[in-house]
Structure formats: structure tokens, C-alpha cells
């Protein structure tokens, strides 16, 4: 491996790095450009090396375990390239953190509506994992805000999909395809996101009836339930927020404060249709959880032995139970995704179209893809 | 070219004889969409079920024919127009609607008319957000295939944001479902790629759409400006203020005048441009937002503010906006409608260039613009029997694409690529980018059975010198 190591080191113009929390690999590198990553992946394809892209590690608990030869960190692709506030768009490197982006665009009260409680996560990781913030009830999932994506395919081609405009039907929707692809199709190097202006007034109202809260408010940002109760997250003009808070009727707090992720070693996301959320919540007894009413997402800390039962019920209603993080042993016992999707054959061909030699995260996606 | 009798009877055995049309008149009627390109149709089939669609696809494959899906044929890019021997599969009889009010979703057939769905769900207080101007005629299958937009897509996004799952027939004749009523189904987002794929990746046979609550209160404003600059600045400042209106549309003077003659809505015909803005939401908020917009507009020189007093007046204003195409007929027999997108901040300079192009080429241009998202629709009114006019219009079209791209924009914001803009794709994508898209298409449809020769130019798959795949490798 020493020869390979120094060759790869030369290819990316730097030496090996250490990454906290990453699986053991022969080599970890932090390239400075998409072109360097292309050279590296081309080399990996030629020599049959397996590659794991790495952002902050925040979402590496999803999917099948990877035993990589090379880890490619995006930590040197971490800048905000261009922010045009009046267009409500921003272009940034995939290694840029949500915290960095937030701090910059908040100066003009703009938001990319990304997960609220993981400032250390990288934008590349969030896109690759396809995770969304709680405000998706109002703004839709993260994939609805990815306007353009630049990525390097498994065989080392630098590809751009989408464009830097907020509305676009020019060509196939590669940004959506890359969202939630977990590095299986390519390593994302930069993205352009659509931003939203942050409304003037924000308030959080306590309630005990989430269905009623959804009925008496118009397009709230979120209705979240935890073991401590239900909160309705309102936003808009001051007058509108005040009137809606009164309609909900509970205790009002100015601003939004978001619940922490459930505490526990093994955390899963139960994904069901919106009406099934209440049912799921009823079935959770002594659990730490956050349930998104109106959306269909319940993130919950479980004992691994509960997963199969929860999964059976969720899948029967067209949903899924997805492992977000768990001790290593759990992955050996339980499929982190559940039953593979109906389009699995198609997905296999799509993967092969972008990563013909299967060097990128083989086995991470559902169906051991 | 017609089909052999054997094939016609094979298709008839799948869908019934009355649902197969192979006469000259029918083949001619279906040989064009609402755009300018005419093609040739071998035979027209109108299936009712996904299984029939699957059988038709297998029959087509067996006979080496392409399948071109078509909804209402209101597309503007020749997307539903065959460019070679093909079975034209028309979905208008696939019009089943199954509403799940509690989840605010519905499974709909691809042939359901856009407006019919929202009318059907009106009593439940929910609607399908995408509202193309053609919504009284176009199908939801066509909306999904083109990822269509409409004035109200500013706040709510285009069709793709409202599609949770699609059932489709693959090139192999299989029926599969991608997506789910539950969020983020595991695996690659095949649903997301199907939307906007213009019939080239499969034939959509059912769609799970999201329905959103009807707003409790609406305010609709018509604001007149003496110059484009003030209107454009108003758009930017309104959005920067934290208010994202449900719609923010711009119409220029030539269009206002044409429309006023047509609908008599008392439009300000002296304005250089008008903005049609709509804010929706809670009753307590809409007046505050409307006042904010009016204040910003006044600061930027607006000389007339009109707020629709009631639902009737609101409808009249929207009728004015949506009947642009009818209004054009008074000016000239034909029109060519463009669709490009630019970054919103480039609006003033690009519009200025469009006027210069029209003047130089002696053309009548009218502009209706989804100003909130920089989506331009310059429209040339002309007489297609005048060859010189046709040449000028086509050359102006290319110039508009060029200036849009030079401003950082793209070929299309909502109408799609189809045949019309296929050969312009290299203007926005590199050969490597196009190759990646071609690989994606091949993964779905290696034999190019599904609506071939659309979206991607010939030779897009040009990078076949990649690493050789060893024998027995993973696929
Ligand atoms: C007056 C007028 C106004 C318009 N206004 C707007 C507007 O505001 N916004 C906008 O976005 N568009 C607009 N359009 C364009 C057009 O109406 C839309 O593109 C519409 O979505 C097309 O729907 P359709 O049913 O007519 O599809 P068709 O024209 O029949 O087909 C369009 C494309 O979809 C494919 N297709 C159709 N059905 C299926 C299926 N079941 N599976 C797979 N592929 C399929 C076809 O092959 C074709 O490529 C307008 C058009 C006109 C004539």
C-alpha cells in the first residue's frame, strides 16, 4: 500500500490526513478541487480501490457499513463561493458547514432551510444523505432547494447538473438524483441552493392537540411532538403570527427553539404517511422521540430489538424504518433500510451508469446496492 | 406511414378496436402539439389502464417501434410529437381520481385535467398547486412529464414539489412505483428523475400528488409602473423583506394593451409594465403584506395601485394575465412563445435586450414574465405565411436563448426541451454533462423506445472512451 499511498498523495497534492470517527482505511485524503477528486477516482477505478466520501461524519450512520481503501474528505472544499442575496441563491463547496452558511446568510435574514440542530454537518453530507430540517412542513424537503450540483462520478468525470436559477427544466434532474444518493453515484464537490427570506416574526406555541393545530393555522413551519408535548412553529408578519398563536391557544414563546435529536445509541427514523404519525407516537412508550406531524417523520431512540416490529407496521402502510445511527453490531443483525424498493433493478443500472466499476460506497444503499 | 393491419389488430386486441386510430385524419390531427413542430404518427392508441400501457409497450418493442406518450397536446416544444415511426399513446382516458383527504394527497391518472383535480377537491379545502395557464386543458401526466409551472409556483414550487410518487411502465414493459406517501422512501430518487423526463424514461400511468390547503385569505394587487426598472426593483425588495408572495407576475405595455382590448379589465394601458402580485395566508396577515408591497412599489415609482375588491375582480385580473394567448390573435394569426430563465437580478438588462432584438428584426414582441423567479416568456406575434417573418422569429428565438444564457440563465423554466431546444443543450451543458444525462437515459431505456430524440441531442453519449469494464464485472 505504501506505493499506492504516495501515488495518491501526489495526485491530490497533499499528504494523508487523520479523520476522527472514520472507519479504518488505507489512506485518507483531503483534495482541494473537483479535478483532484476526478484524478483520484479515475485512479481508484483503474486499481479497483473502494472509496468513501466524508464530510463531518454526522450522517455516516445511515446505510450499509463501508470498509474503504480510501476516504476522501471534503474538508478543503469548505468555502462559500458566491452568495447573491437579491437572487436568493448561494454556491458553496460541499465541505462547507451548515453553521458557516447560516452565519453568513443570516446577516440578510436568509435561510437555506437545512437541518436546524447540526451546525457541524457539511452541506455535501446533508445533500448526499437527503436529510431535511423540521421546517419541511412549510418549505418542503432539502431536495427542493438544490438548484445545481457539481460532482465527480465513480469513473472520474466532473459533471454539473441543474443551474444557478430558481426555476429550471433544462435536462434531467441530476440535483434530485444526487440528493439522498449517499455518495453512491459520485462525490459532490459543490452545490447551489435556493434560499428563503426569514419572515419578520417567529413564535412557538404549546398545544396538546396536533391535528387541531394543523387545522386552525395556515401553513405552519412545523408541528413537532416530543415526550414533553406538542409545539407549533409559526412564522410570518407579526399580526399573522399573533392571530394564529391565539387560534392555537397555548402558551406562546417568541422565536423558535428546536428539539434536540433523540438521545440514545440506536436511533431510527420511522417514515409513514402524515395521518399515521399519531399512531406511531401512541405506540412509543418510554422513548425519546421527535415526531413531525403533517410530515410523517418520527425520529426515535429504540432498543435494536424493537426495529423489526416497528418496521413491519411502517412498511405495511407504505412507509419505512431507517437506521440513522447504531452500534456496529446492529448493522450485522438488521438491514439498516428494510425491504428494498420496487425500482431496485433500475437503481442498480443507474448506479452503474455513474460508477461503472463500483468503487463508491458499495453496499450503502438499500438492497445492498 | 401507416401500420400493417396485423399490428393494428394486435393493438386493438389490447385496448379494443375503438381505442385504436389509424385513419389519415386522426394521424394528422395528432401529429402536432401546441408548438410549431409537426411530425408523423403511425397509429394512435388510447389505453385505460397501466396493464394496457405495458402491453402496448411490449408490442412496440416486439415490432421495433417507439412509443410516444401524449396527454392533451398543449406542450409547446414538440415533446409529444414523434420524430420517426412511433405508436402515439394518448392518456386522456386514464382519468381516475382517488383522493385521500386526511393525508392531503390523491392518486390520479395521467389523463386527469389539471383544473378538474382542483375543482374536485375544492369542497375539501385543498388543491393541486401547479397552475399552468393551460390548466383547463393540460393533463397532470403532461405536467409531471414537463415539470410544469404556473404563476403560483413562486411560493409553492413547480410540479416536482407536488409529486410524491409515480407509477410508470418501463421500456421493458414492467409496471413499477417510485416514491411513496411517506417521506423520503429509501433508495435513489427515481421519482424525482421521472418528473421532467418528458416521456423519455417511461410512461407514467398513475401519480400520487400532494394537495395543499386553500388559503383562508387572498389579496390581489395590480401595480402600474412608468418604467421596468421600478417594477424589477419592487420584485427584489418585496422578496428581500421576508414576504414571498404567492405570485408575482409582470406584463409589459404591448401585452397590457392587447389584453385590455380582449378582456376589458380597465388595465392601465399607459404603464410601461404592471405587476400582478398576490399574497395569501391568514386573514390577519394579508392586508399587512399587501400594504408592504404597495409601499415598496410606491417607493419605486408606481403610479397606480389597485387592490381587487372581491373574488370577481380578482378573477378578472387573473383572466387578464392568463388570456394573453387569446389576446394575441387580434394582433397576428400566429405566435411563438419563448421560455427561458435568468437570475432575477438580470431582469432589466435582459428585457432591454429583448426589445432591441425585436426592433432590429421588425417584430412585435409582448412580454409576460414570472418575475418572482426570473422566468421570461417573450412572445412574438407574426404571420406564419410570411416566410421572412418566420425566419426573423426563429433567429430572434436563438438570440433570446443566447442572451439568457449569457446572463447566467437556462433554456427553459417550465415548457421543457422536447425537440425545440434539444440541439441547444450544448449551450448550457458540457459534453461530459450531456454524456452523464445520456447514461441516465440509457439506464432506463437502453434501446431508446420511449419518446426517442427528445431532450438530448444526437451524439450526447460521446464519451465511450471511459475505463474498460472487465469481464464479469459487477453489473
Ligand atoms: C396557451 C398555453 C399556455 C401554457 N401555459 C403554461 C404555463 O403557464 N406553464 C407551463 O409550465 N406550461 C404551460 N404551457 C405548456 C403546456 O400546457 C404544459 O407543458 C403542459 O404540462 C402539457 O400538458 P399536456 O397534457 O398537454 O402534455 P402533452 O403536450 O401532451 O405532452 C407534453 C410532454 O409530456 C409527455 N407526456 C405526456 N403524458 C405523459 C405520460 N403519461 N407519461 C410520460 N410522459 C408523458 C409527452 O411525451 C410530452 O413530452 C402552456 C401551453 C399553452 C398552449
Amino acid at each position: 500500500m505504501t506505493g499506492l499511498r504516495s501515488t495518491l498523495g501526489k495526485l491530490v497534492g497533499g499528504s494523508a490526513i487523520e479523520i476522527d470517527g472514520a472507519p479504518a482505511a488505507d489512506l485518507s485524503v483531503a483534495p482541494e478541487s473537483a479535478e483532484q477528486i476526478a484524478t483520484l477516482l479515475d485512479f481508484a477505478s483503474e486499481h479497483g480501490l473502494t472509496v468513501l466520501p466524508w464530510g463531518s461524519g454526522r450522517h455516516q450512520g445511515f446505510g450499509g457499513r463501508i470498509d474503504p481503501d480510501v476516504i476522501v474528505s471534503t474538508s478543503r472544499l469548505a468555502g462559500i463561493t458566491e452568495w447573491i442575496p437579491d437572487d436568493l441563491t448561494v454556491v458553496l463547496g460541499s465541505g462547507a458547514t451548515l453553521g458557516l452558511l447560516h452565519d453568513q446568510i443570516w446577516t440578510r435574514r436568509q435561510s437555506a432551510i437545512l437541518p436546524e440542530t447540526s451546525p457541524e454537518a457539511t452541506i455535501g453530507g446533508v445533500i448526499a444523505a437527503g436529510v431535511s430540517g423540521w421546517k419541511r412542513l412549510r418549505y418542503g424537503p432539502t431536495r427542493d432547494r438544490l438548484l445545481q450540483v457539481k460532482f465527480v462520478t465513480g469513473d472520474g468525470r466532473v459533471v454539473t447538473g441543474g443551474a444557478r436559477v430558481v426555476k429550471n427544466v433544462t435536462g434531467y434532474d441530476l440535483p434530485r438524483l444526487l440528493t439522498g444518493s449517499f455518495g453512491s453515484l459520485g462525490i459532490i464537490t459543490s452545490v447551489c441552493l435556493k434560499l428563503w427570506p426569514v419572515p419578520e416574526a417567529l413564535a412557538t406555541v404549546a398545544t396538546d392537540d396536533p391535528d387541531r393545530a394543523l387545522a386552525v393555522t395556515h401553513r405552519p413551519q412545523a408541528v413537532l411532538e416530543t415526550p414533553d408535548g406538542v409545539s407549533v412553529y409559526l412564522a410570518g408578519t407579526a399580526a399573522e403570527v399573533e392571530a394564529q398563536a391565539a387560534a392555537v391557544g397555548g402558551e406562546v414563546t417568541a422565536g423558535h427553539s428546536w428539539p434536540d435529536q433523540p438521545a440514545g445509541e440506536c436511533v431510527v427514523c420511522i417514515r409513514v404517511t402524515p395521518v399515521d404519525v399519531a399512531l406511531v407516537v401512541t405506540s412509543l412508550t418510554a422513548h425519546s422521540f421527535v415526531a413531525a406531524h403533517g410530515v410523517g417523520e418520527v425520529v426515535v431512540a429504540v432498543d435494536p430489538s424493537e426495529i423489526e416490529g416497528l418496521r413491519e407496521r411502517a412498511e405495511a402502510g407504505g412507509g419505512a424504518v431507517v437506521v440513522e445511527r447504531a452500534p456496529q453490531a446492529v448493522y450485522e443483525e438488521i438491514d439498516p433500510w428494510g425491504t428494498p424498493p420496487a425500482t431496485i433493478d433500475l437503481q442498480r443500472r443507474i448506479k452503474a451508469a455513474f460508477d461503472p466499476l463500483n468503487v463508491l460506497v458499495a453496499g450503502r444503499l438499500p438492497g445492498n446496492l | 406511414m401507416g401500420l400493417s393491419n396485423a399490428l393494428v389488430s394486435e393493438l386493438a386486441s389490447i385496448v379494443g378496436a375503438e381505442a385504436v386510430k389509424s385513419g389519415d385524419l386522426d394521424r394528422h390531427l395528432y401529429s402536432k402539439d401546441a408548438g410549431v413542430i409537426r411530425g408523423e404518427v403511425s397509429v394512435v392508441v388510447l389505453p385505460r389502464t397501466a396493464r394496457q400501457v405495458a402491453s402496448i409497450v411490449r408490442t412496440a418493442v416486439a415490432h421495433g417501434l417507439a412509443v410516444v406518450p401524449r396527454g392533451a397536446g398543449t406542450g409547446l416544444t414538440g415533446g409529444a410529437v414523434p420524430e420517426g415511426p412511433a405508436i402515439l399513446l394518448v392518456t386522456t382516458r386514464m382519468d381516475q381520481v382517488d383522493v385521500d383527504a386526511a393525508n392531503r394527497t390523491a392518486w390520479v391518472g395521467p389523463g386527469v385535467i389539471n383544473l378538474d383535480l382542483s375543482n374536485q377537491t375544492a369542497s375539501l379545502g385543498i388543491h393541486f398547486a401547479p397552475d399552468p395557464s393551460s390548466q383547463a386543458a393540460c393533463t397532470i401526466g403532461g405536467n409531471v412529464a414537463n415539470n410544469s409551472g404556473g404563476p403560483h409556483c413562486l411560493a409553492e414550487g413547480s410540479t416536482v414539489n407536488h409529486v410524491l410518487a409515480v407509477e410508470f411502465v418501463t421500456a421493458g414493459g414492467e409496471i413499477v412505483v417510485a416514491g411513496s406517501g411517506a417521506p423520503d422512501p429509501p433508495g435513489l430518487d427515481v421519482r424525482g428523475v421521472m418528473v421532467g423526463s418528458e416521456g423519455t424514461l417511461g410512461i407514467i400511468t398513475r401519480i400520487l400528488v400532494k394537495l395543499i390547503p386553500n388559503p383562508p385569505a387572498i389579496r390581489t394587487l395590480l401595480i402600474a409602473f412608468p418604467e421596468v426598472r421600478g417594477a424589477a426593483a419592487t420584485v427584489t425588495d418585496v422578496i428581500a423583506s421576508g414576504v414571498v408572495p404567492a405570485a408575482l407576475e409582470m406584463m409589459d405595455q404591448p401585452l397590457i394593451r392587447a389584453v385590455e382590448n380582449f378582456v376589458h379589465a380597465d388595465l392601465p394601458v399607459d404603464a410601461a409594465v404592471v405587476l400582478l402580485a398576490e399574497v395569501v395566508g391568514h386573514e390577519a396577515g394579508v392586508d399587512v403584506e399587501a400594504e408592504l408591497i404597495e409601499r415598496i412599489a410606491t417607493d419605486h415609482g408606481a403610479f397606480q395601485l389597485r387592490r381587487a375588491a372581491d373574488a370577481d375582480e380578482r378573477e378578472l385580473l387573473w383572466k387578464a394575465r392568463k388570456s394573453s394567448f387569446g389576446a394575441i390573435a387580434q394582433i397576428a394569426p400566429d405566435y411563438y412563445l419563448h421560455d427561458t430563465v435568468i437570475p432575477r437580478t438580470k431582469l432589466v438588462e435582459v428585457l432591454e435586450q429583448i426589445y432591441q432584438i425585436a426592433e432590429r428584426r421588425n417584430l412585435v414582441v409582448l412580454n409576460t414574465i414570472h418575475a418572482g423567479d426570473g422566468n421570461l416568456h417573450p412572445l412574438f406575434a407574426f404571420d406564419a405565411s410570411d416566410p421572412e417573418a418566420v425566419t426573423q422569429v426563429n433567429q430572434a428565438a436563438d438570440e433570446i436563448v443566447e442572451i439568457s444564457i449569457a446572463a447566467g440563465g437556462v433554456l427553459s423554466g417550465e415548457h421543457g426541451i422536447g425537440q425545440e431546444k434539444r440541439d441547444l443543450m450544448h449551450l448550457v451543458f458540457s459534453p461530459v454533462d450531456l454524456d452523464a444525462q445520456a447514461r441516465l437515459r440509457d439506464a432506463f431505456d437502453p434501446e431508446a423506445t420511449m419518446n426517442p430524440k427528445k431532450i438530448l441531442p444526437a451524439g450526447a453519449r460521446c464519451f465511450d472512451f471511459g475505463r474498460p469494464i472487465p469481464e464479469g464485472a459487477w453489473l
Side-chain angles (χ1 to χ4, degrees):
Chain A
M1 194 64 199
T2 341
L4 216 51
R5 194 181 263 267
S6 69
T7 312
L8 272 174
K10 273 185 218 128
L11 287 178
V12 302
S15 49
I17 58 163
E18 294 293 324
I19 302 176
D20 266 359
D26 292 329
L27 180 68
S28 301
V29 288
E32 280 171 342
S33 66
E35 288 64 33
Q36 282 186 355
I37 295 181
T39 310
L40 190 150
L41 285 175
D42 186 47
F43 185 86
S45 279
E46 186 180 345
H47 294 273
L49 304 177
T50 56
V51 179
L52 172 66
W54 194 272
S56 73
R58 176 74 173 70
H59 302 99
Q60 296 279 357
F62 283 92
R65 299 299 82 197
I66 309 296
D67 178 17
D69 295 320
V70 183
I71 297 181
V72 175
S73 160
T74 56
S75 59
R76 290 204 181 119
L77 304 168
I80 296 178
T81 319
E82 196 178 13
W83 171 40
I84 304 182
D86 285 344
D87 278 334
L88 285 165
T89 58
V90 66
V91 179
L92 64 168
S94 55
T97 63
L98 304 196
L100 176 84
L101 175 62
H102 173 274
D103 290 349
Q104 169 129 21
I105 64 181
W106 185 257
T107 58
R108 287 278 303 265
R109 271 186 88 78
Q110 297 189 351
S111 168
I113 325 282
L114 294 167
E116 293 81 2
T117 51
S118 35
E120 80 288 3
T122 63
I123 184 66
V126 166
I127 298 292
V131 292
S132 299
W134 298 121
K135 291 191 284 263
R136 71 183 289 173
L137 177 63
R138 173 63 191 82
Y139 295 101
T142 297
R143 52 168 41 84
D144 289 350
R145 281 174 294 286
L146 183 63
L147 302 176
Q148 185 177 49
V149 63
K150 185 168 167 186
F151 63 102
V152 186
T153 61
D155 54 352
R157 299 146 193 263
V158 182
V159 173
T160 302
R164 288 197 56 180
V165 287
V166 295
K167 189 176 182 191
N168 183 12
V169 295
T170 311
Y172 296 106
D173 199 337
L174 295 186
R176 274 196 174 72
L177 183 63
L178 267 287
T179 308
S181 65
F182 285 97
S184 65
L185 306 179
I187 299 183
I188 297 170
T189 56
S190 79
V191 299
C192 174
L193 298 173
K194 172 182 167 142
L195 304 175
W196 283 82
V198 177
E200 167 198 355
L202 309 174
T204 312
V205 193
T207 179
D208 46 24
D209 187 344
D211 289 336
R212 191 179 153 275
L214 281 167
V216 300
T217 55
H218 182 68
R219 313 296 304 278
Q221 293 202 333
V223 177
L224 300 185
E225 180 164 1
T226 69
D228 298 332
V230 179
S231 298
V232 186
Y233 295 80
L234 300 171
T237 57
E240 180 185 11
V241 167
E242 196 180 319
Q244 302 213 57
V248 176
E251 190 191 330
V252 183
T253 324
H256 287 164
S257 89
W258 301 98
D260 288 330
Q261 291 290 324
E265 280 213 309
C266 178
V267 172
V268 299
C269 180
I270 304 174
R271 300 172 182 171
V272 292
T273 59
V275 285
D276 285 347
V277 171
L279 277 176
V280 171
V281 168
T282 322
S283 75
L284 302 174
T285 46
H287 296 83
S288 162
F289 70 88
V290 185
H293 286 279
V295 171
E297 229 175 13
V298 185
V299 184
V300 54
V302 293
D303 186 275
S305 65
E306 297 173 286
I307 294 177
E308 294 296 356
L310 290 168
R311 181 170 279 164
E312 210 168 291
R313 259 169 290 154
E315 289 189 355
V321 172
V322 169
V323 174
E324 292 203 352
R325 61 169 193 270
Q328 181 66 29
V330 173
Y331 295 91
E332 282 149 28
E333 294 283 306
I334 295 171
D335 188 310
W337 298 109
T339 308
T343 52
I344 187 73
D345 290 342
L346 200 46
Q347 300 202 18
R348 184 163 289 122
R349 292 199 296 274
I350 296 172
K351 162 94 165 116
F354 290 87
D355 180 24
L357 290 141
N358 207 19
V359 299
L360 287 166
V361 298
R364 171 145 280 182
L365 292 181
N368 203 25
L369 195 62
Chain B
M1 180 197 66
L3 279 189
S4 73
N5 288 342
L7 258 168
V8 171
S9 55
E10 200 172 323
L11 291 170
S13 73
I14 298 169
V15 292
E18 65 55 65
V20 181
K21 303 191 184 296
S22 55
D24 288 346
L25 179 61
D26 283 316
R27 293 198 294 118
H28 181 74
L29 284 176
Y30 282 105
S31 64
K32 200 176 155 299
D33 61 7
V36 291
I37 300 164
R38 191 177 286 282
E40 211 173 303
V41 173
S42 310
V43 62
V44 182
V45 213
L46 295 101
R48 289 185 188 278
T49 67
R51 289 172 70 167
Q52 290 178 349
V53 172
S55 301
I56 295 165
V57 169
R58 285 195 295 266
T59 303
V61 170
H63 291 272
L65 282 171
V67 183
V68 175
R70 171 180 166 119
T74 68
L76 293 160
T77 64
V81 178
E83 219 204 279
I87 299 176
L88 190 76
L89 189 153
V90 178
T91 62
T92 47
R93 293 186 181 175
M94 304 178 75
D95 58 357
Q96 191 94 6
V97 175
D98 262 312
V99 180
D100 176 350
N103 278 311
R104 291 176 175 160
T105 58
W107 274 107
V108 303
V112 173
I113 304 292
N114 174 301
L115 190 59
D116 287 355
L117 176 62
S118 292
N119 285 342
Q120 269 194 51
T121 58
S123 62
L124 301 167
I126 47 183
H127 71 285
F128 183 57
D131 62 338
S133 301
S134 53
Q135 71 183 139
C138 63
T139 66
I140 297 191
N143 299 164
V144 173
N146 278 354
N147 189 15
S148 300
H152 287 87
C153 290
L154 173 59
E156 299 301 341
S158 297
T159 300
V160 67
N161 296 11
H162 304 275
V163 173
L164 298 172
V166 289
E167 177 193 85
F168 62 100
V169 172
T170 65
E174 256 183 291
I175 304 170
V176 291
V177 176
S180 158
D184 305 329
L188 298 174
D189 188 7
V190 173
R191 167 214 65 105
V193 176
M194 284 302 295
V195 182
S197 65
E198 303 190 19
T200 61
L201 304 182
I203 296 177
I204 296 161
T205 50
R206 235 158 40 109
I207 304 142
L208 181 65
V209 297
K210 196 156 103 183
L211 301 167
I212 63 167
N214 297 346
I218 306 175
R219 296 292 180 272
T220 308
L221 314 172
L222 190 77
I223 309 169
F225 292 86
E227 49 161 18
V228 179
R229 197 166 294 279
T234 300
V235 170
T236 297
D237 285 359
V238 165
I239 293 178
S241 76
V243 171
V244 178
L248 206 43
E249 300 283 303
M250 197 185 275
M251 293 185 277
D252 73 353
Q253 189 176 64
L255 188 75
I256 301 164
R257 293 190 170 175
V259 168
E260 176 57 18
N261 262 340
F262 192 67
V263 296
H264 308 292
D266 204 11
L267 302 176
V269 290
D270 292 332
V273 287
V274 298
L275 278 183
L276 181 62
E278 190 159 274
V279 289
V280 305
H282 195 272
E283 188 61 55
V286 285
D287 283 322
V288 182
E289 294 186 358
E291 278 154 27
L292 179 86
I293 294 174
E294 287 165 350
R295 203 162 53 239
I296 292 171
T298 307
D299 287 347
H300 288 295
F303 67 85
Q304 191 185 319
L305 304 170
R306 171 172 170 192
R307 212 189 278 194
D310 51 26
D312 286 345
E313 191 178 356
R314 178 169 72 243
E315 254 166 54
L316 182 66
L317 295 180
W318 276 111
K319 188 174 167 206
R321 162 63 186 80
K322 291 192 177 181
S323 59
S324 318
F325 309 100
I328 307 306
Q330 323 159 85
I331 301 178
D334 302 286
Y335 66 77
Y336 190 137
L337 175 60
H338 289 264
D339 169 42
T340 67
V341 187
I342 53 166
R344 191 177 46 229
T345 43
K346 301 282 172 62
L347 201 64
V348 176
E349 62 186 76
V350 173
L351 200 54
E352 193 50 49
Q353 288 174 287
I354 290 174
Y355 287 135
Q356 286 164 8
I357 291 171
E359 201 178 306
R360 210 167 47 235
R361 297 182 175 279
N362 201 18
L363 292 169
V364 179
V365 68
L366 307 90
N367 282 282
T368 156
I369 302 167
H370 302 302
D373 34 40
N375 190 181
L376 308 176
H377 287 316
L379 188 156
F380 292 106
F382 69 109
D383 181 351
S385 65
D386 172 2
E388 175 55 21
V390 175
T391 308
Q392 292 298 332
V393 165
N394 284 329
Q395 288 175 359
D398 288 348
E399 279 185 336
I400 285 177
V401 165
E402 279 160 27
I403 58 173
S404 298
I405 289 169
V410 291
L411 299 176
S412 174
E414 51 180 28
H415 293 170
I417 301 301
Q419 295 184 49
E420 185 199 29
K421 290 179 172 164
R422 176 189 63 200
D423 297 329
L424 302 174
M425 287 284 277
H426 69 277
L427 296 176
V428 270
F429 292 114
S430 75
V432 182
D433 299 340
L434 287 175
D435 174 68
Q437 297 193 33
R439 284 165 182 246
L440 177 65
R441 193 199 190 293
D442 284 358
F444 280 78
D445 179 19
E447 309 294 331
T449 301
M450 300 300 194
N451 208 4
K453 302 185 185 168
K454 307 292 160 62
I455 303 183
L456 295 176
R461 186 71 198 265
C462 56
F463 273 74
D464 282 330
F465 52 75
R467 209 140 295 293
I469 297 177
E471 195 95 6
W474 178 76
L475 183 76

